[in-house]
Amino acid sequence: MLTNKVFIKKTKMGGVMKIVREHYLRDDINCGSQACTHNCDSDGKEPLEEIPISDSKLVMKPHYLVPDTNVVLHQIDILEDPSIKNVIILQIVLDEIRHRSAPIYKRVKDILASSHKHFYTYCNEFNMHTYAERQPGESANDRNDRAIRKAVAWYADHLKDTEIEVVLITNDAGNRKQSVLDGLKAYTIHEYVRSLSNMSLIDRLANPLNQMNQDNNGKVLFAEHLGLAEIQKGIRAGRFLQGTLLISRENYLEAFVSVKDQEKMIFVQGLQNLNRAVNDDNVALEMLPDSEWSCPSSMVLAEDEGKDEEDEENRALNETVVDNKVPKELRQPTARIVGIIKRNWRQYCGILQPSIIKERTRHLFIPAEKRIPKIRIETRQAQTLASKRIIVAIDSWPRNSRYPLGHFVRCLGEIGDKDTENEVLLLEHDVPHQNFSEAVLSFLPKMPWTITEDDVKRRRDLRHLDICSVDPPGCTDIDDALHCRELDNGNYEVGVHIADVSHFIRPGNALDQEAANRGTTVYLTDKRIDMVPDLLSSNLCSLRSKVYRFAFSVLWEITPTADIVKTDFTKSIIDSKASLTYAEAQLKIDDPNAHDNLTKSLRGLNKLAKILKKKRLDNGALSLASTEVRFYVDSETNDPIDVKTKELMDTNSMVEEFMLLANISVAEKILYEFPDNALLRRHPAPPPSNFDPLIKAAQSKGFTIDVSSGKALADSLDQAVVPENPYFNTMLRIMTTRCMMQAVYFSSGMLQPQDYLHYGLATPIYTHFTSPIRRYSDIIAHRLLAVCIGADASYPELLDKSKIQSLCNNLNFRHKMAQYAGRASVNLHTHLFFKKRIQDEEGHVLFVRKNALQVLIPKYGLEGTVFLNDDGQKSSSIFVYDEENNTQTAGDVTIHVFDPLIVQLSIDRSNVQHMKLSLKLVKPMIPGFSVQSVREVQANATGSQSKTSTTDLPISGKPPQKKKKRTH
C-alpha cells in the first residue's frame, strides 16, 4: 500500500516549499512475539517471550508493556532494571527519542541489543494496520499519541487468541483517559512500578507525582525561564546571548558563560541570577546594566555539607544577594540567566545526606563534583545508603525549590573502598571502562600470530638495526622505539619506530568503532583503562624487546648540528634489542665503560636531542611545569605506602624531542597530501586576559611578565628567578600552565592555516602520530600517512573533513576527561595515603584568597586550601586581607603569594561520609591559629623528642603502570 507524507518547508529566501514523499505500508511486519498464532513474517528472532512472567499486582495476566515517548525518556533507569522485561518500543517512540536525546537513544539501543531483556522494536509506521496519518488541525504530539494507541490496539487484537495482554504505560492523563475509552489497558509508570514486588524500583522513579508540590511552602525562589521561541527571537534581536555555563570550582555562587565570538567570558553571580542552571547547560543570558556589573569574589565558597535541608531553604534567599560594591576598573561584563536552551544533565555520583528526621523519605544528595548543586531525592533506603556511594539523576528544578529534584539510580559500594572510589571517578569523568564485547574481540588476530612472507615483502626489514625503547618502569604498552647510527658522510640516521596499530584495526569494524569511542587509554594511579584489548596493547602491537613487530617508521638523515637533510616514511618490521626504563637508559649513557652499539645509539640520540631542544626553546617554545608523583603500593592490599615526585632525566627529554620531531614531520606530510582533511593538533594562543593572575603574581616579586608573544613569555619566565626561593620559578611556570588554552584536535579543512599554530611548542603545524596504542588520533594519522606513501587504501570517512572534525570533537572530550580522571586518581590515592597519617610538609602559597590560602605541596603534587576561619564561609577575625597587594596579615606576619609554609596534612574525619584532606598552618607561627608540628606533639606526648614526623614504612610491591610521555 502506498501513501504520501506531506511537509511544508520554509526556504532561505523566505518562500514556502511543499514536499511530498511516498510512504510504503506493509501488512507482513513481524510482531516479535513467540506466542503469535498468525503467519507473521518471522526471521527466527522473536524477543518477546511466549509466556512473559511478571509479579505485578495490577496486571495479573502475562503481558507486554508499550511505553510512550516520555516514559522512555524520563524513566530509562526503570526500563534498564533486570526485572523489567518484554517491552515493545514502537518505531515512532524510538524516532522521537533519537531526535530529543542522543544519550537516552544509545541506552535504549543497548537494551534492545540485550537478549535477556526481551525488548522489541516494532515498525508501526510501516504497518498498514498501525500507521496513523495526521489529520487536519491535529498537532504532531496528538497524532503521535493516537499512533501509539492504534499500535497498542492492534497488538491487543493480534494476540487475542493468547493469554497475553498488551498494556500502555503513559503518564499523560489525556492519553490514558482516551486509551481507557478505547477499551485499552493503560497505567502510569508509577502505578505499574508500585504494583511490583521489587520495592527498590520506587526510589528510581523520576519525578514522583507527589513530589512537585512539596517544596518550600510554595514560595517562588526563581524567575520563570523564557520559552525557546522567545529566547531565539531575543538572540536574533541581540537582546540575549547564548553560551555554555561553567560553574566556578572555588565558589558555587559564581559562574562564567563562554559566548561564541566573544573574547571575554560573561560573568554570572548569585543564586537568583544563575536561575536553576546547572554546570554545562546551554543557557540564554541577558546583560545587566553596567552599574550592576561585578567581578569574581576572592572568597573560597563551597556548599556546607553539614546543613540540613531546612537550614538550606532558609538560607536560599540570602544566597541570591550580590554585593555590587566593586570598583569600576575591576568590573566584568555581568549577566543573568533568563532561560535554558539545552540541559546537559547526566547521572551524578555522590553520597546521601539523610534528613535529621528519621521517618522522612526526602533527603539531599551531595554530588562528588563540587560544581553540581545538591539534589533532593525520595528514598526509603536512607539508612542503608548513608554509608554508600550512589548514583542519582536530576529530573527537574521547579521555581519553588532551592535544589533540583531527582531520583536514586543505583548503589556503587561502600564509601572509602578503593574499587568503589575508582568506579566513581571513572563514571564522573565519563570514561568508558566496560569489558570489551564479544563483537569487538571477534576482530582480534587469531593466535598464534606470525609474520608471513607476504608481510616481509610489503615492509622494509629493519631488524638488523640497534633499536630500543625507553619508557617508565612497568610500561607494557610500548608505542615507540628509537635508533641512531652514524653514516659514512658524518651525518646521522635517526629512526623513530611506532607500533603499527592500524594494521590490526581496520576502518569501520566493531574494534575500530570501540577504539574511536574510547579515544584514549586512561592511566589511573593503580590501573590502566585500555583503548584497545590487551592482546594488542600489551602484546602484538607493543614494541617489546627480542620479538619481531610491525612498525611505522620515520627515518631522518640529520647533520651533527641537528639539521634535517632528508625524511623518509615506511612501514617496517623491527626487532627491538632492549626495553629500557629512563633510568636504565641514563645509566648506559653515563657509563664511561659502555661502548656497545646500543649505548652509542643512545648517546647519539641524547646529543642530538639537546640541540633540537635548544632550537625549539630559542624559537619561543615554552618550558612549563607541572608536578607528577609516583605512588608505591603494598603488594597485598594495593594501598599506597609511599609517594615520591617523579625525577626527570636527560632520557625523558631525549625521547620527547624525537617524538615531537616525528609528529611535526608527519603533520607536514599529511597536510601536504590532504589539505582539507588532515587530523592535526593546535594549541591556541591564550587571550591576554588569561595572563592577568600571572602578571599580578610576578609583579608582587618585582618581575614583569611580557605576554606579547610566546617567545617574550618564555624569556620573561627565564629571567624571573629569586635566588633565596629556588621554587619560585617553578611556581611561576605552574601558574603559566594554568593560563594556557586547551590543545585540541581539528580537521585541517575547518580552519584557516594561520589558526593551525601550536602556541606551546612554537610550531606552525603539529599532530599526534607516536602513540597509536593509547590514542585514536594517532591511528587516523597513521591511516592518512599510509595512504600518502601508498601503503594502504583510503576510505570515504577518511576523506570527509566534517566526519574527521566530528571525530576530533569526541577525541577532545575524551582526552580532557582522561586528564581529569588521572588527576582525580592521584587525589584519591593521596587521601588513602593520609588515611592513617598526620604529616608536616613544605608548601608554597599559590593564591591568596579573602578567607583562605591555596597551597601547593610539591612532594605530593597536590593543592589544598588552608581556611583562615572556622567554617570556610565568613571572613577571619585574626587575618586582615589586602586585596590590592594580595596578602593576608595576622599580627606581624604577612603572607604573600609564593611564600613557603609548613602545613600539616591529615584527613578531616568530622564528616564520616565525606572525609576530606585537611591542611592546617604550622609555620609561620601565628598565635591562636597555627597548630603544633607532629614532632612537637609527639615530644609532648612521650616526653622526648621523636625521630620523625611520621612512621617510616618500608616500600614494597611494584610501582603501578603510569602514563607514558607528556601529551602536547
Side-chain angles (χ1 to χ4, degrees):
M1 179 178 172
L2 181 66
T3 186
N4 293 325
K5 281 189 173 183
V6 180
F7 303 89
I8 305 297
K9 182 180 177 182
K10 192 173 182 180
T11 66
K12 289 182 179 178
M13 302 298 292
V16 174
M17 180 186 297
K18 184 177 181 181
I19 300 172
V20 180
R21 290 181 183 164
E22 293 182 339
H23 189 73
Y24 291 89
L25 301 176
R26 298 165 51 183
D27 62 356
D28 58 350
I29 295 175
N30 183 18
C31 69
S33 172
Q34 297 173 17
C36 178
T37 58
H38 299 273
N39 294 322
C40 282
D41 184 19
S42 171
D43 57 2
K45 296 179 181 178
E46 289 83 19
L48 301 171
E49 293 178 296
E50 185 175 359
I51 306 176
I53 298 171
S54 171
D55 60 2
S56 172
K57 297 179 180 63
L58 194 64
V59 188
M60 306 298 288
K61 291 184 177 180
H63 56 275
Y64 299 147
L65 301 179
V66 184
D68 71 2
T69 305
N70 282 321
V71 167
V72 178
L73 277 172
H74 301 300
Q75 308 293 345
I76 186 67
D77 294 320
I78 297 290
L79 297 179
E80 285 178 329
D81 190 86
S83 62
I84 303 296
K85 297 180 179 180
N86 293 292
V87 176
I88 300 165
I89 305 293
L90 298 175
Q91 177 203 344
I92 193 171
V93 170
L94 197 61
D95 287 346
E96 193 170 356
I97 290 166
R98 186 175 73 242
H99 289 112
R100 288 174 62 178
S101 174
I104 299 295
Y105 177 73
K106 184 180 184 303
R107 290 169 72 181
V108 173
K109 294 293 284 184
D110 288 342
I111 299 173
L112 288 164
S114 174
S115 58
H116 68 269
K117 284 288 286 175
H118 303 289
F119 273 50
Y120 180 66
T121 306
Y122 182 67
C123 299
N124 64 301
E125 290 290 84
F126 292 96
N127 186 330
M128 65 173 60
H129 304 296
T130 58
Y131 176 71
E133 195 159 346
R134 189 170 170 182
Q135 297 172 351
E138 186 178 36
S139 70
N141 187 61
D142 287 345
R143 180 260 167 189
N144 289 353
D145 286 346
R146 184 165 57 83
I148 291 170
R149 292 195 300 271
K150 192 170 182 180
V152 172
W154 178 83
Y155 256 106
D157 181 67
H158 188 72
L159 300 174
K160 65 184 177 183
D161 295 333
T162 70
E163 292 290 315
I164 297 171
E165 293 186 331
V166 181
V167 181
L168 173 63
I169 303 296
T170 177
N171 283 350
D172 186 308
N175 196 17
R176 196 164 66 254
K177 182 179 179 181
Q178 187 59 52
S179 299
V180 173
L181 291 175
D182 292 346
L184 304 175
K185 276 192 178 296
Y187 301 103
T188 67
I189 186 68
H190 304 83
E191 290 171 334
Y192 184 79
V193 166
R194 289 193 174 99
S195 76
L196 301 173
S197 61
N198 184 0
M199 299 302 291
S200 66
L201 276 180
I202 296 174
D203 289 348
R204 299 171 66 179
L205 284 166
N207 273 339
L209 298 180
N210 64 346
Q211 190 185 46
M212 297 298 295
N213 299 315
Q214 295 184 5
D215 296 302
N216 209 34
N217 300 318
K219 291 179 187 174
V220 174
L221 301 176
F222 299 99
E224 188 172 0
H225 287 152
L226 300 180
L228 202 54
E230 190 174 351
I231 288 172
Q232 289 172 340
K233 186 178 178 182
I235 290 173
R236 285 195 296 270
R239 287 190 301 116
F240 301 147
L241 298 172
Q242 174 183 351
T244 302
L245 184 75
L246 302 169
I247 302 286
S248 168
R249 290 184 183 275
E250 295 173 1
N251 190 328
Y252 72 102
L253 294 177
E254 296 179 347
F256 285 92
V257 178
S258 174
V259 178
K260 190 178 179 182
D261 298 330
Q262 292 209 15
E263 180 186 313
K264 270 207 163 188
M265 287 186 162
I266 306 299
F267 183 54
V268 183
Q269 187 179 57
L271 197 66
Q272 213 166 38
N273 286 338
L274 286 168
N275 197 6
R276 296 170 286 154
V278 175
N279 188 64
D280 213 30
D281 281 351
N282 195 278
V283 299
L285 298 166
E286 182 178 49
M287 295 300 298
L288 295 175
D290 292 7
S291 60
E292 295 181 29
W293 283 11
S294 186
C295 72
S297 165
S298 53
M299 296 271 284
V300 177
L301 199 60
E303 285 203 76
D304 194 328
E305 293 163 14
K307 295 278 187 181
D308 183 67
E309 59 178 297
E310 298 301 332
D311 298 327
E312 297 288 3
E313 297 291 9
N314 296 331
R315 205 175 57 155
L317 289 174
N318 294 333
E319 292 172 316
T320 66
V321 178
V322 177
D323 182 7
N324 285 315
K325 295 175 183 177
V326 176
K328 206 168 188 179
E329 64 274 10
L330 295 178
R331 292 179 188 173
Q332 299 182 13
T334 308
R336 67 185 183 96
I337 292 171
V338 296
I340 308 296
I341 296 170
K342 184 186 177 187
R343 289 288 193 190
N344 281 311
W345 293 341
R346 57 178 175 84
Q347 293 184 343
Y348 302 100
C349 303
I351 59 175
L352 196 67
Q353 178 185 315
S355 172
I356 56 174
I357 303 172
K358 286 188 178 180
E359 294 76 21
R360 273 199 172 181
T361 58
R362 302 171 72 220
H363 308 276
L364 287 175
F365 164 82
I366 304 171
E369 170 57 78
K370 63 175 72 174
R371 295 182 296 177
I372 304 299
K374 294 180 183 178
I375 302 166
R376 181 173 289 116
I377 67 169
E378 286 204 13
T379 178
R380 292 150 188 79
Q381 308 173 65
Q383 195 170 355
T384 306
L385 298 177
S387 62
K388 312 285 188 185
R389 290 283 186 191
I390 63 173
I391 295 178
V392 162
I394 298 178
D395 301 323
S396 64
W397 195 342
R399 294 176 62 197
N400 61 348
S401 175
R402 165 64 181 84
Y403 297 111
L405 310 180
H407 66 273
F408 168 73
V409 176
R410 64 187 173 97
C411 176
L412 292 172
E414 291 290 331
I415 294 171
D417 175 73
K418 192 163 76 165
D419 289 338
T420 300
E421 300 298 345
N422 266 336
E423 179 75 5
V424 167
L425 72 87
L426 290 171
L427 290 170
E428 276 297 292
H429 296 97
D430 198 13
V431 175
H433 58 286
Q434 67 280 4
N435 292 333
F436 290 101
S437 68
E438 289 299 322
V440 169
L441 297 176
S442 69
F443 286 96
L444 292 174
K446 300 297 181 282
M447 298 299 286
W449 177 82
T450 56
I451 295 176
T452 65
E453 288 185 14
D454 191 46
D455 291 328
V456 176
K457 289 177 184 176
R458 293 171 178 269
R459 293 172 177 269
R460 192 180 301 183
D461 194 339
L462 303 179
R463 287 176 282 188
H464 61 286
L465 295 175
D466 293 303
I467 296 170
C468 70
S469 61
V470 184
D471 291 285
C475 179
T476 60
D477 54 340
I478 303 173
D479 289 287
D480 53 83
L482 307 98
H483 88 273
C484 175
R485 62 175 179 173
E486 194 168 352
L487 300 175
D488 294 338
N489 61 3
N491 291 340
Y492 293 94
E493 177 191 83
V494 174
V496 165
H497 312 276
I498 306 301
D500 190 5
V501 182
S502 62
H503 171 83
F504 297 96
I505 301 180
R506 305 308 298 165
N509 66 26
L511 177 57
D512 182 51
Q513 290 171 5
E514 181 67 19
N517 177 50
R518 294 191 177 211
T520 180
T521 292
V522 180
Y523 293 88
L524 305 183
T525 301
D526 59 340
K527 66 193 296 187
R528 192 180 78 202
I529 313 297
D530 282 325
M531 182 184 77
V532 298
D534 187 67
L535 179 64
L536 296 183
S537 65
S538 296
N539 189 350
L540 299 184
C541 292
S542 183
L543 303 183
R544 301 185 301 180
S545 59
K546 298 179 174 56
V547 288
Y548 298 159
R549 287 290 178 257
F550 288 162
F552 210 149
S553 299
V554 184
L555 304 169
W556 301 277
E557 183 180 337
I558 302 181
T559 67
T561 55
D563 294 319
I564 309 297
V565 176
K566 185 174 66 173
T567 306
D568 191 16
F569 306 97
T570 182
K571 293 261 187 163
S572 61
I573 303 174
I574 68 167
D575 177 16
S576 174
K577 301 302 186 287
S579 298
L580 304 174
T581 65
Y582 291 118
E584 289 168 345
Q586 191 68 53
L587 285 172
K588 276 185 169 292
I589 292 170
D590 296 340
D591 184 356
N593 299 317
H595 300 290
D596 57 280
N597 287 340
L598 202 60
T599 302
K600 289 178 181 176
S601 174
L602 288 168
R603 285 175 182 152
L605 290 167
N606 196 40
K607 172 186 154 189
L608 292 170
K610 288 179 178 179
I611 302 172
L612 288 169
K613 184 173 184 177
K614 186 177 184 306
K615 286 184 177 183
R616 272 199 316 110
L617 295 176
D618 290 346
N619 195 39
L622 296 174
S623 178
L624 302 181
S626 62
T627 308
E628 286 191 62
V629 295
R630 184 177 190 79
F631 286 91
Y632 294 83
V633 298
D634 187 286
S635 57
E636 293 181 3
T637 65
N638 281 329
D639 286 337
I641 58 173
D642 197 14
V643 58
K644 292 186 177 179
T645 307
K646 282 188 177 180
E647 183 184 351
L648 296 181
M649 306 176 184
D650 283 351
T651 45
N652 292 79
S653 180
M654 175 189 80
V655 173
E656 183 181 6
E657 287 305 317
F658 284 107
M659 297 306 111
L660 292 174
L661 185 61
N663 288 334
I664 293 168
S665 298
V666 170
E668 291 170 347
K669 180 67 174 178
I670 62 176
L671 181 66
Y672 178 78
E673 297 287 345
F674 298 102
D676 287 336
N677 56 288
L679 190 151
L680 303 176
R681 186 166 176 82
R682 62 190 286 259
H683 181 209
S689 58
N690 276 28
F691 292 109
D692 290 347
L694 173 70
I695 293 170
K696 187 176 179 181
Q699 282 174 345
S700 70
K701 293 292 183 183
F703 293 101
T704 301
I705 302 295
D706 185 351
V707 297
S708 59
S709 68
K711 173 66 173 166
L713 175 60
D715 291 343
S716 297
L717 291 173
D718 288 341
Q719 293 162 13
V721 177
V722 177
E724 61 271 19
N725 186 355
Y727 201 67
F728 167 74
N729 190 263
T730 303
M731 294 273 289
L732 211 57
R733 292 180 190 276
I734 289 172
M735 291 184 76
T736 307
T737 303
R738 298 178 184 205
C739 300
M740 294 295 118
M741 304 289 283
Q742 187 84 22
V744 292
Y745 299 108
F746 69 100
S747 174
S748 58
M750 307 302 282
L751 292 173
Q752 294 300 314
Q754 61 265 28
D755 295 326
Y756 295 176
L757 172 74
H758 196 295
Y759 178 82
L761 296 175
T763 179
I765 186 170
Y766 193 65
T767 194
H768 273 163
F769 169 80
T770 55
S771 296
I773 294 177
R774 62 187 180 95
R775 289 190 307 233
Y776 190 78
S777 55
D778 303 52
I779 292 178
I780 297 298
H782 277 231
R783 290 174 180 169
L784 289 165
L785 185 61
V787 175
C788 291
I789 65 172
D792 207 344
S794 182
Y795 56 99
E797 288 78 10
L798 193 66
L799 304 178
D800 188 326
K801 67 179 182 182
S802 298
K803 289 188 176 176
I804 292 290
Q805 185 58 51
S806 177
L807 175 66
C808 287
N809 295 340
N810 178 62
L811 295 180
N812 291 330
F813 172 74
R814 294 293 187 205
H815 181 75
K816 182 171 67 173
M817 289 298 104
Q819 286 183 317
Y820 290 164
R823 292 172 197 165
S825 181
V826 170
N827 287 337
L828 167 61
H829 279 73
T830 304
H831 278 64
L832 293 173
F833 180 71
F834 283 104
K835 204 171 184 180
K836 299 176 182 177
R837 287 174 171 83
I838 299 176
Q839 193 162 313
D840 298 338
E841 285 297 340
E842 184 178 0
H844 296 265
V845 179
L846 202 55
F847 297 104
V848 176
R849 305 297 187 193
K850 188 174 183 179
N851 65 332
L853 304 174
Q854 285 181 266
V855 180
L856 178 72
I857 315 295
K859 180 175 178 179
Y860 301 117
L862 66 86
E863 255 183 66
T865 303
V866 178
F867 283 105
L868 304 181
N869 51 304
D870 291 333
D871 59 8
Q873 301 290 329
K874 303 166 189 173
S875 60
S876 169
S877 57
I878 298 176
F879 287 85
V880 177
Y881 177 56
D882 183 341
E883 189 166 7
E884 187 175 340
N885 294 312
N886 202 24
T887 63
Q888 286 279 4
T889 302
D892 58 354
V893 176
T894 300
I895 299 175
H896 308 78
V897 177
F898 304 120
D899 280 358
L901 308 170
I902 301 295
V903 292
Q904 193 169 100
L905 289 83
S906 63
I907 294 295
D908 179 3
R909 300 174 183 275
S910 59
N911 185 339
V912 179
Q913 275 194 314
H914 207 185
M915 292 187 291
K916 296 178 179 177
L917 188 66
S918 167
L919 271 67
K920 294 179 181 177
L921 186 66
V922 177
K923 291 182 181 179
M925 181 61 194
I926 298 173
F929 183 77
S930 297
V931 298
Q932 281 187 310
S933 70
V934 174
R935 189 187 298 271
E936 290 169 341
V937 172
Q938 290 174 344
N940 292 338
T942 62
S944 62
Q945 190 73 11
S946 176
K947 286 193 298 181
T948 57
S949 293
T950 58
T951 303
D952 290 329
L953 295 173
I955 298 174
S956 64
K958 64 179 181 180
Q961 296 170 10
K962 275 301 291 175
K963 192 189 302 185
K964 293 185 69 184
K965 287 92 186 174
R966 189 185 310 169
T967 300
H968 298 275

